[in-house]
């Protein structure tokens, strides 16, 4: 395996998996999608920093970043 993609999966109270088709729309509607994106990006950065890529024999991890997240970073750095 050369690389991977960071994917979010959530569990509800009974432990069953809630797929992105269910939680992304809710996160978008409540404004939480940016927070979710930041958490995913932070976790991937921790994984890389802690040697996860090398330990798994990978060279890269793809992270899908939403338009709003990119705009927020550009705005903060302006």
């Amino acid at each position: 395996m050369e690389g991977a993609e960071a994917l979010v999966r959530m569990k509800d109270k009974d432990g069953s998996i809630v797929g992105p088709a269910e939680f992304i729309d809710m996160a978008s509607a409540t404004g939480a999608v940016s927070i979710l994106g930041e958490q995913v990006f932070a976790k991937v950065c921790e994984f890389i920093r802690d040697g996860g890529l090398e330990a798994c024999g990978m060279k890269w991890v793809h992270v899908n970043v939403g338009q709003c997240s990119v705009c927020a970073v550009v705005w903060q750095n302006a």
Side-chain angles (χ1 to χ4, degrees), residues 13-76:
K13 292 179 183 179
D14 70 1
S16 57
I17 299 293
V18 178
E22 295 179 56
F23 68 78
I24 292 294
D25 287 342
M26 184 181 358
S28 294
T30 62
V33 74
S34 292
I35 296 166
L36 182 61
E38 289 172 13
Q39 289 176 344
V40 171
F41 191 73
K43 291 286 187 183
V44 169
C45 289
E46 289 173 19
F47 176 76
I48 294 168
R49 180 200 65 209
D50 294 343
L53 283 178
E54 292 83 13
C56 294
M58 294 189 302
K59 297 178 182 176
W60 48 265
V61 176
H62 282 186
V63 178
N64 290 327
V65 180
Q67 232 176 353
C68 293
S69 299
V70 172
C71 291
V73 170
V74 170
W75 180 256
Q76 288 173 0

